[in-house]
Amino acid sequence: RRQAAEQFNKGSYAAAAATFRLIEARVSGGQKPLYHALADLADAYGCWDRFLYKPAWESLKTAVKALDMASIFGGPAGIKSLIPRLKENSGFLEKLVLDPAEIKAAVAPDLLANARRRAEQDRALDAALLTAVRALEAFAQVQLFKQHKIKAHDVQPDQLPPALKEVCRTSYLDDVDGKYKLPMVAQFRALAGLGDQMGQAYLAQWPQMKPLLDAASRSPLGHGFEPAVAERYHQLYALIVKVTGVTDAALPKFPTLEL
């Protein structure tokens, strides 16, 4: 059981689920539902970690119900204290999954939380850096859509501030689907031109931002061959917080299993 919890806490969700299922097969009848639920829990976070939000939510809902029951009937001591975090996470996923909007606001903080896990859990700095860049862009996309009804992946040049209209017409047409698509920097410039605080904050931080985006671009996961360093990721993370105003509390946190 401890081994499965350790696997979970290291982010090896598939391994944790397999270990819990192994225990489920070995224990007597009364304990089976507990380990079945813990396996579902590991599956849920494994899906979530790969952005498979719907199956994650469904597995998590099932697991929470069963673990809630287990805590009432005297399951492991750590279960009871785990439930509130699980319910909070389930609520986050529910909101995300049921959001009918094409551009889902909750994905932006989730991407940033994912970047943090890549850095802290996996020490995968290139993945962390690139995921953080994607999170930054997602915040811009959400802001453009929610506040200004602009879809960055299908923009009409006339929706943009005057300074960007012509650039959009001449430079941002996608050959593949014939839509105008704003790259990330243009998204923030559009926000700034529309008087949006997030866009203005981005432009104010641009001198600091530039080398960090360059580091992401030079990464093997970007367009280059230079592995990222931890410092670049941490600097970018701090700037994202500054530009977007996202708080730590807004980022979903995966639980730590103590069984």
Side-chain angles (χ1 to χ4, degrees), residues 14-231:
T19 307
F20 282 131
R21 293 203 196 287
L22 209 61
I23 301 170
E24 182 195 351
R26 287 178 184 166
V27 294
S28 59
Q31 286 200 294
K32 283 187 186 294
L34 168 68
Y35 290 101
H36 189 84
L38 288 168
D40 282 345
L41 186 74
D43 281 339
Y45 284 97
C47 286
W48 188 351
D49 208 37
R50 290 172 289 142
F51 310 109
L52 301 170
Y53 297 121
K54 196 163 190 283
W57 177 45
E58 283 163 358
S59 292
L60 188 54
K61 272 193 301 186
T62 310
V64 169
K65 270 184 197 156
L67 291 172
D68 228 349
M69 290 296 284
S71 72
I72 294 165
F73 295 114
I79 296 286
K80 212 178 187 82
S81 58
L82 191 64
I83 302 289
R85 167 60 50 87
L86 300 183
K87 286 184 173 172
E88 192 183 302
N89 283 171
S90 184
F92 180 92
L93 285 173
E94 178 177 17
K95 202 169 144 197
L96 196 160
V97 171
L98 298 181
D99 181 355
E102 189 182 343
I103 293 163
K104 297 177 189 289
V107 171
D110 186 59
L111 279 160
L112 195 56
N114 190 290
R116 185 191 259 184
R117 287 196 302 279
R118 299 292 70 81
E120 294 175 1
Q121 207 173 55
D122 305 346
R123 300 278 180 268
L125 294 168
D126 288 275
L129 188 63
L130 271 292
T131 307
V133 171
R134 174 66 194 109
L136 177 61
E137 181 183 36
F139 279 109
Q141 289 168 321
V142 168
Q143 192 73 356
L144 278 169
F145 184 66
K146 290 251 184 236
Q147 302 301 327
H148 309 284
K149 299 288 172 275
I150 292 173
K151 292 180 188 175
H153 62 283
D154 184 10
V155 68
Q156 304 307 314
D158 289 339
Q159 293 177 291
L160 297 172
L164 278 171
K165 282 181 187 175
E166 201 45 46
V167 182
C168 181
R169 283 196 183 93
T170 54
S171 307
Y172 299 150
L173 187 65
D174 190 317
D175 289 344
V176 178
D177 61 8
K179 291 177 179 175
Y180 290 106
K181 295 182 180 176
L182 296 180
M184 182 174 74
V185 176
Q187 291 172 33
F188 279 106
R189 287 198 175 126
L191 284 169
L194 293 161
D196 193 291
Q197 205 176 345
M198 193 188 286
Q200 288 162 351
Y202 180 90
L203 292 189
Q205 298 299 329
W206 178 239
Q208 289 79 16
M209 189 72 80
K210 219 156 103 175
L212 307 180
L213 296 180
D214 187 47
S217 181
R218 289 201 311 265
S219 154
L221 291 182
H223 307 285
F225 301 90
E226 282 180 44
V229 294
E231 186 189 7

